[in-house]
Amino acid sequence: MAETIASMRRPKRGRPPRPRESDFVTGEEFEDEEEGEDHGEAADGLAPPRSKRKREASAAAAAALEDLTLIDIVKHNGRLISHAVKRLVEDYESNPKSVLFQILTMLFEVCGARHDIYASDLHEAAVDDIVFKLAELARKGLVDDNYSSKRKDLKNFKENLVTFWDSLVLECQNGPLFDDNLFTTIKDYVVAISCTPPRVYRQVASLVGLQLVTSFISVAKTLSGQRETTQRQLNAEKKKHSDGPAVESLNKRLSITHENITYLEESMRKIFSGLFMHRYRDVDPEIRMLCIKSLGIWVVSYPSLFLQDIYLKYLGWTLNDKNAGVRRTSILALQSLYDVDDNIPSLGLFTERFYSRMIQLADDIDISVAVPAIGLIKQLLRHQLLSDDDLGPLYDLLIDEPPMIRRAIGELVYDHLIAQNCKTPSVARDGDNESSEIHISRMLHILREFSDDPVLSSYVIDDIWDDMKAMKDWKCVISMLLDETPIAELTDMDGTNLVRMLRASAKKAVGERIVLATDNRKMYYNKAQKEILENSKSDITNALMKRYPQLLRKYLPDKAKISPLIDMMMLLKLEMYSLKRQEQNFKAAIDLIVDAFFKHGDKDTLRSCIKAIAFCCTKCQADLLDYAENKLKTLEDELVLKVKTAIKEVEAGDDEYSLLVNLKRLHELQLSKPVKNDGLFEDMYRILSHLKEMDNEVKSFLLINMFLEVAWCLHAIDVENPSETSIEGLSSKQRSLFEQLYYFLVVLSNYQKEGRSTTVLSSRFNALFCF
């Protein structure tokens, strides 16, 4: 039957420190009050009001401590661990065998073994014989798995177990730790149990053994500090006296301290070779993770012993572990290692051996591994342990699907390629502009690789946006677009990328997505976030207000740049034009957008123009609203006139290009609003009926525009009280449309029979019925 703490006699104790009031009531308070009574009456009248209640609670706590075994304390009473450990250490001087028995009994019980091992068994039998008995108990099913239990009362079991062994080592550092008996026996049992088949035994023994090394390191570091202090004192004393009692005492103290450090380091090596070297490849991934996590802590906290390739290689080997959690743990351990600059000179061979695997992990199948791996690569770059040639495969991850990986790569790209040379000699007018222009120039160099695909460019911008403040320097971007003191002259490709970057960055700043989310969830913002977004919109408006017409005027002929610039109108706070008395700049911008609508015929530009003008018609106020609405009405009238004129020209035998372009403009306009016209539908029907040999693209746009007009007529009918005139007009237009559609289908069928390409016709036909 196991001995309890109550069975141990204690020598007289000194007064311990007063515990925190928030702590669980412990035996210390009982001791405090006991000694207070010895000095009793001297303190009368000075005791706090709650002293009586404290005495009662302390007495109850002391009684509870006396009745508990070590396993009960570890399982359920973690706050009593430090007091129980102190008693064990105090009693060890008078009865070491009894204390050793209690500690080993607790070790067996935390493993879950329902054993009947007595003190005499431990003293007489070999370690292997006792461990064999424990393994037999597991084979018979006489084991309780406390380690993996989900029971609520065991939720702090692991934490308490670690605390117990750490407290025991620290409490023994001035005596039993170095007596070559207590911890030597404990180490033997822990290592032996860690090699047994039952998983719960290996889990508990691994946790205990690894924590012992961690605690040994804490003591060794303390002793190292004492050794340095003693050495300094000895050197100073020798300058005064070459020998003497002080020098002899310091030499003796230095020798003992050095011997103790050597003893601890040898103990660490034994646990490493006996436990770690077997358990780091255990079948249980949790044990493997525990080993690697502990090794990472050891290397960082005690590099004088563990910062060697014979230990570091295990961190490198586990980068190939089949379990994602183990790979991630190894990466995190390496991150903490490379984070210390003093460690870098000793990591040269290790890095050279394993850097290629670190790079491969950036594209790991598990995101929880890939993201920290990218962070590790960033550390290697910071210490110049990788070359640019090694990073080629990483840049492809900028357009990878998982956002977390893209963000991590974006951070790496920003740190390594954009912000690396911020100390360039000053060439700009002020430091802020210089830094922003330099960063933007480097960003444009990256975007050249993705210039052919605006979507990929958006991915890259989205990845780097959070880290790159220069993207939010609106005045700098606008100045570069207007060629105002640029660092280097922009090429046409750079100009296009810079305009795209301006639009994408502004969208991000006001809370819009520039890359489609995989979940398509709507974005919600709290009050503080909305205020930040509004402030960003104000900043963008202030920067663009006066220069927006200049940008539109400069890039009006360039269809690749004008569309993103026109989109900027929908990101502005239009009311600020009135507040800042900039109405003329607003009107100039609207005029230029209308000019762009009639100057270009591509879908993106036309759609941007219509959206921008429609936005102004809904968000402006007072005179600016009237101006925007009048401009839209003028645009509509002018467009209808152009379409009618083009129809007449085609009927007269002229080229069809003007008709095609204006039909595209009419199509984009009708997608947003009904177009009022006199006889335009009839004109389109007439030319379709009479000119059967027109270009197929022209025919398709004529049909689509006719369909849109029919749809708007249907939308305008009052469902509850429809007028006879509107019904007759709708029916007439529907008949005309269906007649032309029938002919359209016949032509399509004939083309297919003849084996001719029907791609254009089919796409227009599908587009027609998508509305």
Side-chain angles (χ1 to χ4, degrees):
M1 184 175 179
E3 297 184 33
T4 65
I5 293 180
S7 66
M8 299 185 294
R9 297 186 59 187
R10 297 176 289 142
K12 186 174 180 180
R13 302 185 300 278
R15 182 186 181 102
R18 183 179 295 276
R20 295 173 298 175
E21 292 183 3
S22 60
D23 284 347
F24 186 84
V25 181
T26 66
E28 278 196 56
E29 295 182 4
F30 174 77
E31 295 167 3
D32 203 8
E33 297 300 330
E34 191 177 49
E35 294 192 7
E37 289 175 3
D38 292 342
H39 299 85
E41 289 71 28
D44 283 348
L46 298 178
R50 294 186 297 169
S51 59
K52 183 176 181 180
R53 289 198 299 272
K54 283 188 177 182
R55 283 198 300 271
E56 293 174 353
S58 300
L65 184 62
E66 296 289 345
D67 295 333
L68 293 175
T69 60
L70 285 180
I71 185 63
D72 293 328
I73 293 174
V74 170
K75 281 184 176 181
H76 312 297
N77 297 276
R79 292 182 178 179
L80 297 178
I81 288 176
S82 60
H83 312 298
V85 168
K86 288 179 182 178
R87 291 190 182 186
L88 288 173
V89 176
E90 291 168 359
D91 290 343
Y92 183 78
E93 297 178 5
S94 59
N95 196 356
K97 291 185 178 180
S98 175
V99 173
L100 178 59
F101 170 71
Q102 287 200 62
I103 293 174
L104 292 178
T105 298
M106 186 273 294
L107 176 62
F108 303 153
E109 290 173 346
V110 295
C111 289
R114 304 174 197 164
H115 67 90
D116 54 355
I117 300 173
Y118 298 95
S120 58
D121 299 329
L122 290 178
H123 302 322
E124 297 172 1
V127 173
D128 291 343
D129 296 334
I130 297 297
V131 173
F132 180 78
K133 288 183 180 181
L134 295 176
E136 282 294 306
L137 291 175
R139 189 178 63 81
K140 296 176 182 178
L142 300 176
V143 172
D144 298 320
D145 189 354
N146 299 315
Y147 187 88
S148 303
S149 176
K150 302 298 183 182
R151 287 166 47 189
K152 188 174 181 180
D153 60 329
L154 293 176
K155 64 179 181 179
N156 296 322
F157 173 75
K158 296 178 187 178
E159 179 183 351
N160 292 343
L161 184 60
V162 168
T163 302
F164 173 83
W165 290 103
D166 186 53
S167 301
L168 183 63
V169 171
L170 297 179
E171 192 68 28
C172 293
Q173 63 181 312
N174 295 320
L177 181 59
F178 305 102
D179 69 354
D180 207 24
N181 176 38
L182 177 62
F183 280 92
T184 300
T185 305
I186 291 173
K187 283 184 294 183
D188 291 342
Y189 274 99
V190 168
V191 171
I193 294 173
S194 72
C195 297
T196 56
R199 179 172 302 201
V200 63
Y201 286 4
R202 301 198 313 275
Q203 289 173 331
V204 173
S206 299
L207 180 64
V208 172
L210 297 172
Q211 179 56 43
L212 284 176
V213 175
T214 303
S215 301
F216 289 164
I217 289 174
S218 298
V219 177
K221 290 172 68 175
T222 301
L223 292 176
S224 297
Q226 294 175 359
R227 181 172 60 182
E228 293 177 2
T229 302
T230 304
Q231 185 65 60
R232 287 196 300 270
Q233 293 173 343
L234 179 61
N235 294 339
E237 191 65 32
K238 284 183 175 180
K239 291 180 180 179
K240 300 176 184 178
H241 309 285
S242 58
D243 54 7
V247 173
E248 183 179 353
S249 174
L250 289 171
N251 272 321
K252 183 177 180 181
R253 188 195 309 170
L254 184 64
S255 175
I256 293 174
T257 304
H258 181 74
E259 289 176 0
N260 288 342
I261 293 174
T262 303
Y263 177 84
L264 287 174
E265 291 181 348
E266 184 60 29
S267 298
M268 296 179 209
R269 291 190 187 96
K270 288 181 178 178
I271 295 178
F272 187 91
S273 59
L275 188 151
F276 180 93
M277 289 178 61
H278 301 287
R279 299 281 67 80
Y280 89 95
R281 53 186 179 182
D282 194 281
V283 69
D284 185 356
E286 184 175 349
I287 294 178
R288 302 202 299 273
M289 281 191 284
L290 187 61
C291 289
I292 297 305
K293 181 179 179 181
S294 298
L295 179 58
I297 294 172
W298 302 343
V299 176
V300 172
S301 57
Y302 204 61
S304 60
L305 175 62
F306 289 103
L307 188 58
Q308 303 179 53
D309 289 336
I310 58 173
Y311 298 109
L312 294 175
K313 64 184 180 183
Y314 297 99
L315 295 177
W317 287 343
T318 49
L319 291 173
N320 297 288
D321 196 279
K322 63 182 179 180
N323 182 271
V326 180
R327 297 197 300 274
R328 183 175 186 274
T329 303
S330 181
I331 291 170
L332 294 177
L334 290 174
Q335 280 186 342
S336 62
L337 188 56
Y338 282 100
D339 201 39
V340 181
D341 292 341
D342 293 339
N343 293 339
I344 303 305
S346 302
L347 292 170
L349 290 176
F350 174 83
T351 305
E352 184 178 352
R353 182 177 179 184
F354 293 104
Y355 80 93
S356 60
R357 178 56 183 160
M358 299 178 196
I359 295 175
Q360 290 172 3
L361 287 174
D363 197 19
D364 193 273
I365 191 173
D366 194 290
I367 296 178
S368 66
V369 176
V371 172
I374 295 169
L376 176 59
I377 293 171
K378 191 170 70 171
Q379 289 179 297
L380 297 179
L381 289 170
R382 181 169 65 89
H383 295 297
Q384 299 181 347
L385 297 175
L386 291 179
S387 65
D388 290 342
D389 295 337
D390 299 323
L391 301 180
L394 292 181
Y395 297 142
D396 294 337
L397 299 178
L398 282 169
I399 54 177
D400 204 354
E401 188 60 34
M404 293 179 64
I405 293 180
R406 290 194 290 105
R407 296 287 190 279
I409 289 291
E411 186 178 347
L412 183 149
V413 169
Y414 173 75
D415 287 345
H416 182 60
L417 298 180
I418 297 177
Q420 59 164 346
N421 295 320
C422 293
K423 298 180 181 179
T424 305
S426 177
V427 294
R429 286 180 297 180
D430 58 69
D432 292 339
N433 281 345
E434 175 201 13
S435 179
S436 294
E437 289 186 15
I438 292 173
H439 287 187
I440 291 171
S441 297
R442 293 174 185 153
M443 181 65 180
L444 293 176
H445 182 75
I446 296 172
L447 290 176
R448 289 173 193 167
E449 302 294 326
F450 307 92
S451 294
D452 295 336
D453 193 334
V455 175
L456 297 185
S457 297
S458 297
Y459 270 83
V460 177
I461 295 168
D462 185 60
D463 299 339
I464 302 176
W465 190 84
D466 290 330
D467 300 295
M468 187 172 169
K469 292 182 179 180
M471 279 197 209
K472 282 85 83 175
D473 190 344
W474 315 115
K475 293 182 179 179
C476 178
V477 176
I478 294 169
S479 296
M480 293 180 70
L481 285 171
L482 294 174
D483 296 328
E484 297 176 354
T485 64
I487 291 179
E489 185 178 353
L490 295 178
T491 64
D492 183 66
M493 182 185 298
D494 288 340
T496 301
N497 287 329
L498 187 55
V499 169
R500 290 173 180 169
M501 189 179 78
L502 174 62
R503 177 183 61 180
S505 182
K507 281 188 173 182
K508 289 277 290 182
V510 300
E512 295 185 18
R513 286 194 177 106
I514 61 175
V515 173
L516 292 177
T518 54
D519 53 10
N520 289 323
R521 287 188 297 179
K522 186 177 179 181
M523 300 175 68
Y524 292 95
Y525 300 101
N526 57 34
K527 184 177 180 181
Q529 291 171 328
K530 289 179 180 178
E531 185 176 349
I532 292 173
L533 297 179
E534 283 298 310
N535 291 337
S536 297
K537 186 175 285 191
S538 298
D539 293 340
I540 296 169
T541 307
N542 277 323
L544 270 176
M545 194 177 293
K546 295 181 180 180
R547 296 188 172 188
Y548 193 33
Q550 299 175 39
L551 288 172
L552 292 173
R553 191 173 292 110
K554 178 178 178 180
Y555 294 106
L556 187 64
D558 193 332
K559 70 176 183 180
K561 301 180 181 64
I562 193 62
S563 178
L565 284 175
I566 293 173
D567 287 339
M568 293 296 298
M569 176 65 82
M570 292 173 281
L571 304 175
L572 305 181
K573 292 183 73 172
L574 300 183
E575 61 269 21
M576 292 182 63
Y577 277 95
S578 298
L579 294 174
K580 300 284 186 177
R581 297 184 179 180
Q582 296 294 323
E583 293 88 348
Q584 292 303 317
N585 283 318
F586 173 82
K587 293 177 181 179
I590 289 289
D591 292 343
L592 289 166
I593 291 174
V594 172
D595 291 345
F597 180 78
F598 286 110
K599 190 174 186 64
H600 295 278
D602 61 289
K603 182 181 73 173
D604 291 338
T605 304
L606 297 177
R607 191 161 294 182
S608 296
C609 292
I610 295 299
K611 286 184 177 180
I613 299 173
F615 176 81
C616 294
C617 291
T618 56
K619 297 296 182 180
C620 288
Q621 299 175 355
D623 294 342
L624 297 185
L625 175 62
D626 294 339
Y627 189 84
E629 289 176 344
N630 289 335
K631 272 295 177 180
L632 182 58
K633 181 64 172 65
T634 302
L635 179 148
E636 180 182 330
D637 295 341
E638 185 176 350
L639 178 58
V640 171
L641 180 60
K642 284 180 177 290
V643 173
K644 287 186 173 185
T645 302
I647 290 175
K648 291 178 180 179
E649 290 174 351
V650 172
E651 289 176 331
D654 287 350
D655 186 73
E656 299 171 359
Y657 176 76
S658 176
L659 176 59
L660 176 60
V661 171
N662 284 294
L663 285 172
K664 289 180 178 179
R665 293 169 182 153
L666 180 63
H667 171 235
E668 294 299 331
L669 182 59
Q670 286 202 100
L671 286 176
S672 63
K673 67 181 297 291
V675 175
K676 297 180 180 179
N677 62 83
D678 296 325
L680 181 58
F681 185 91
E682 288 74 15
D683 291 343
M684 291 189 287
Y685 171 77
R686 185 182 69 249
I687 193 172
L688 278 172
S689 301
H690 294 165
L691 299 179
K692 302 295 185 182
E693 299 302 323
M694 280 191 304
D695 183 77
N696 290 327
E697 190 175 10
V698 176
K699 292 180 182 179
S700 62
F701 271 103
L702 284 166
L703 284 169
I704 289 175
N705 279 292
M706 291 173 66
F707 169 78
L708 287 173
E709 183 164 346
V710 171
W712 281 115
C713 288
L714 179 62
H715 182 268
I717 292 177
D718 186 352
V719 179
E720 296 180 356
N721 187 25
S723 66
E724 186 175 344
T725 304
S726 60
I727 295 294
E728 291 177 355
L730 175 61
S731 299
S732 175
K733 290 180 179 180
Q734 280 181 329
R735 287 192 296 270
S736 300
L737 175 62
F738 291 150
E739 177 186 334
Q740 296 302 323
L741 281 176
Y742 175 76
Y743 178 76
F744 187 91
L745 292 173
V746 170
V747 172
L748 180 62
S749 177
N750 291 335
Y751 270 43
Q752 291 174 338
K753 289 178 181 179
E754 296 172 4
R756 297 167 63 183
S757 174
T758 60
T759 304
V760 176
L761 287 173
S762 298
S763 62
R764 299 301 177 192
F765 181 76
N766 292 332
L768 179 62
F769 286 97
C770 285
F771 293 103

